[in-house]
Amino acid sequence: MQIKDILKSRNISLSFEVFPPKKESSFESVRIATEEIAALKPAFMSVTYGAGGGTSEYTLSVAKNIKEKYSVPMLAHLTCVSSDRALIAKRIEEIKEAGISNIMALRGDLTDELENSDRSKWDYVHAVDLIYELKQKGDFCIGAACYPEVHPESANQREDIKHLKEKVDAGVDFLTTQMIFDNNLFYNFLYKIREAGISVPVIPGIMPITNANQVERAIKLSGAFMPQRFRAMVDKFASDPDAMKQAGIAYATDQIIDLYANDITNAHIYSMNKPDVAAGIMNNLSAILGKSFLE
Ligand code: FAD
């Protein structure tokens, strides 16, 4: 099933992101964790793509396994900046052969090596280059990334939204946001991109912070704003792992309920291969997810 059709239904739903193993030896533990998350029957699941190509084949192995065993619609991430056209063509064919028709088209982060190399020699400079290629190569439902708090390389939000519109115009069916901890940033962003003529569905990305170590890493990766309410929670519970986990799940649940209450029908959870966290959120929302409040 294509994600654009799930989003069209306007039913309240939840989806989860997982990541593939970095090496063969951890494949089994990732398989078990991702299967436990799939057993919760989310609306769909996404599998990230390790930048740099080396372990990138595991993305598809994880996605294929879940699709075949649990029939959960799968979204395979694909990054392009560190790849050449031959590798991307191979990956696209593999995704097709696996019967997966949802692709998250990403540029990927720039490594130091890339930063110092000659851009004119790159096969792909921006995600939009991959989106054009995907449109030519099959009937894919294409997702792309967006940044309510502005991508760190953009000079300002206007420029970032201008490039976002180019991606959407190239054939994107839906957008997923970088993690947000303050829903108001998402609502403001939505208003601005609608004003700019971007009308595809936008799925907010929610990261449940369930241990204190995650906080620094999450800020470093995303540059996300941490509201005072969130900081107070971490300050209070960071030293007690069980309490921190419970509080982190509650905070994420609260964000999701606020989104649903404001007619945002989907939330994508960065579940970090943690079935207990995914199940905790699902349980907190069981009655809400059981029925649709919208027409
Ligand atoms: P782009 O859309 O190319 O944007 C990157 C920057 O370039 C932005 O500042 C943009 O404004 C600017 N830009 C875009 N087009 C142009 C243009 N034509 N001219 C000039 N400037 C332009 N990384 C992974 O390695 N693997 C993953 O699986 C992964 N999944 C992700 C999922 C989500 C939902 C998100 C939000 C991010 C994910 N990332 C992942 C991280 C992502 O690869 C980085 O944020 C990366 O730096 C940007 O990727 P992009 O696709 O947004 O790039």
Side-chain angles (χ1 to χ4, degrees):
M1 187 171 198
Q2 293 207 322
I3 290 167
K4 62 182 175 193
D5 296 320
I6 298 172
L7 299 174
K8 250 183 233 154
S9 84
R10 302 282 295 147
N11 286 332
I12 278 177
S13 69
L14 208 57
S15 51
F16 292 118
E17 179 170 296
V18 295
F19 54 80
K22 288 200 171 56
K23 48 187 190 311
E24 177 82 50
S25 59
S26 43
F27 190 85
E28 190 55 10
S29 60
V30 169
R31 183 189 65 75
I32 293 168
T34 53
E35 284 193 18
E36 283 179 34
I37 294 174
L40 298 167
K41 293 276 169 206
F44 70 89
M45 281 171 72
S46 66
V47 189
T48 61
Y49 188 85
T55 60
S56 56
E57 73 266 25
Y58 294 132
T59 295
L60 200 57
S61 325
V62 171
K64 213 171 143 186
N65 178 56
I66 298 171
K67 181 178 175 287
E68 285 168 4
K69 288 194 189 149
Y70 292 87
S71 306
V72 172
M74 295 307 297
L75 169 64
H77 289 207
L78 186 60
T79 68
C80 59
V81 74
S82 54
S83 294
D84 57 23
R85 294 219 175 258
L87 178 62
I88 291 295
K90 182 168 175 272
R91 289 283 175 258
I92 295 173
E93 273 316 302
E94 288 166 349
I95 292 171
K96 246 192 226 172
E97 277 165 25
I100 292 170
S101 65
N102 302 296
I103 300 185
M104 187 71 175
L106 299 146
R107 184 197 68 178
D109 280 325
L110 301 180
T111 58
D112 289 344
E113 196 187 336
L114 279 168
E115 291 268 23
N116 298 320
S117 68
D118 176 2
R119 287 185 184 216
S120 67
K121 300 213 165 77
W122 299 359
D123 281 355
Y124 303 89
V125 180
H126 292 290
V128 70
D129 304 329
L130 176 59
I131 294 161
Y132 282 128
E133 188 166 339
L134 287 170
K135 283 307 276 184
Q136 284 169 3
K137 291 206 161 143
D139 180 22
F140 295 112
C141 168
I142 304 174
C146 64
Y147 304 84
E149 297 178 66
V150 184
H151 187 275
E153 288 166 39
S154 286
N156 55 53
Q157 192 167 46
R158 194 177 308 125
E159 193 183 295
D160 208 24
I161 291 178
K162 185 182 126 200
H163 294 309
L164 183 63
K165 180 143 187 341
E166 286 162 9
K167 284 203 286 196
V168 173
D169 290 347
V172 163
D173 295 294
F174 70 95
L175 297 165
T176 305
T177 75
Q178 181 59 283
M179 62 185 82
I180 42 154
F181 297 98
D182 178 347
N183 288 357
N184 288 325
L185 293 167
F186 174 73
Y187 301 135
N188 289 344
F189 174 70
L190 209 52
Y191 176 79
K192 286 182 183 164
I193 65 170
R194 297 302 185 226
E195 283 285 295
I198 297 173
S199 58
V200 294
V202 187
I203 310 177
I206 303 293
M207 165 81 99
I209 298 286
T210 53
N211 72 64
N213 300 335
Q214 266 177 289
V215 178
E216 213 171 299
R217 198 174 136 68
I219 299 178
K220 194 168 166 235
L221 274 177
S222 66
F225 166 71
M226 305 271 166
Q228 183 51 35
R229 203 165 74 82
F230 180 83
R231 287 177 186 277
M233 175 190 80
V234 177
D235 285 349
K236 183 78 182 169
F237 301 117
S239 58
D240 180 339
D242 288 343
M244 185 64 224
K245 185 167 149 189
Q246 194 171 48
I249 290 173
Y251 189 95
T253 305
D254 188 45
Q255 269 191 286
I256 298 164
I257 291 173
D258 179 70
L259 290 163
Y260 290 161
N262 283 286
D263 280 359
I264 305 299
T265 50
N266 301 86
H268 194 56
I269 314 302
Y270 296 119
S271 48
M272 306 298 288
N273 294 9
K274 291 180 184 165
D276 52 342
V277 172
I281 293 175
M282 277 282 203
N283 283 334
N284 283 349
L285 296 168
S286 57
I288 293 173
L289 290 170
K291 54 185 159 185
S292 167
F293 296 102
L294 301 167
E295 293 161 19

